[in-house]
Amino acid sequence: MMRKSKVLFVLATIIFLLLFAGGIALAQEEIIVPEISLGVKKATSPQEAVASLQILFLLTVLSLAPAILIMTTSFTRIIVVLSFVRSALSTQQTPPNQVLIGLALFLTFFVMAPTWQQVNTQAIQPYLKGEINQEQAIKRGLKPIRTFMFRQTREKDLALFVKMANIKKPRTYDDVPTHVLVPAFIISELKTAFEIGFMIYIPFVIIDMIVASALMSMGMLMLPPMMISLPFKILLFVLVDGWHLVVKSLISSFA
């Protein structure tokens, strides 16, 4: 017992000395804290004013980046369909929102990769090399994105917003303003996503009906049918390789 007490005393002494010595070492070292300052000063040349405006424009674009990503890409259709899959399975928050959004983002990058490659080749790289100005870069960059949106937009939806915008009937796609194209593209994407979601729901609704009828025929009215149908839904989804089929259908729908 005395031996254990001596050992504990020695260990406590060593720990105290280490902490005390470490404190002295930290006190002796000079801690350097960097100073960061942001200021606004008067521009002395037109070039400085233009650079300031470009930085302000870039910050504005970055703040609107999530909205741009949702409204001009395949993200809307993908995330809505994945949400329908989770709802049809009745698995509450499984997969969690972070997983669904992450999967939707990577699928969006996969679907939009050819379009963004065209934007990089036709607009960004020539602009960085100084071959075109900023206005030309924006026009060239919008062209592949508009082409993608036109392929996925229904004529009925496009005609609706053309009529509501009170503009002349466009003869070509180039005559359609971007602010008219984007909302038409969004509602077209939502309609397509709901059509896919309806097809996903059908087999799971059939399972719910079969389970509910079986429980009712056995007189088990107090037992929630959801508890019985959920394992069968998951089993069916796994047996048919549901995630593979859903992702394949989503990517094929943009072809």
Side-chain angles (χ1 to χ4, degrees), residues 80-123:
V80 171
V81 171
L82 293 180
S83 300
F84 272 125
V85 172
R86 185 173 65 181
S87 299
L89 286 171
S90 303
T91 53
Q92 303 300 326
Q93 295 298 321
T94 304
N97 292 331
Q98 293 84 349
V99 175
L100 289 185
I101 293 175
L103 177 59
L105 283 174
F106 280 102
L107 290 178
T108 300
F109 295 154
F110 180 82
V111 172
M112 298 299 298
T115 301
W116 289 342
Q117 183 64 34
Q118 293 180 17
V119 174
N120 181 60
T121 303
Q122 300 175 10

Side-chain angles (χ1 to χ4, degrees), residues 150-251:
F150 275 122
R151 287 203 308 264
Q152 309 302 327
T153 304
R154 293 176 172 83
E155 293 185 1
K156 180 181 178 181
D157 298 329
L158 188 60
L160 171 64
F161 284 95
V162 168
K163 181 180 180 180
M164 296 179 65
N166 294 324
I167 61 177
K168 294 182 179 179
K169 185 178 180 180
R171 297 182 178 178
T172 62
Y173 286 152
D174 296 334
D175 297 334
V176 179
T178 303
H179 72 276
V180 174
L181 173 61
V182 172
F185 168 74
I186 289 295
I187 64 173
S188 295
E189 287 291 280
L190 289 174
K191 182 177 181 180
T192 303
F194 274 68
E195 290 175 350
I196 298 175
F198 173 76
M199 300 302 297
I200 292 173
Y201 256 96
I202 291 178
F204 299 111
V205 170
I206 294 175
I207 292 178
D208 286 333
M209 294 175 62
I210 294 174
V211 171
S213 300
L215 292 177
M216 186 177 297
S217 63
M218 291 186 295
M220 305 174 66
L221 301 178
M222 300 302 294
L223 182 63
M226 192 67 65
M227 294 180 59
I228 307 300
S229 63
L230 179 58
F232 290 100
K233 289 181 180 180
I234 297 176
L235 179 62
L236 173 64
F237 197 71
V238 171
L239 290 178
V240 300
D241 200 359
W243 290 113
H244 175 85
L245 294 177
V246 170
V247 171
K248 180 181 178 181
S249 301
L250 273 173
I251 296 177

Side-chain angles (χ1 to χ4, degrees), residues 16-29:
F16 175 78
L17 291 176
L18 289 175
L19 293 175
F20 183 72
I24 295 177
L26 290 175
Q28 292 177 351
E29 293 181 359

Side-chain angles (χ1 to χ4, degrees), residues 29 40 53-55 70 95 118 131 141 146 176-177 184 194 246:
E29 293 181 359
V40 179
L53 292 176
Q54 290 178 344
I55 293 175
I70 293 174
Q118 293 180 17
E131 299 175 356
R146 282 169 56 90
V176 179
F194 274 68
V246 170

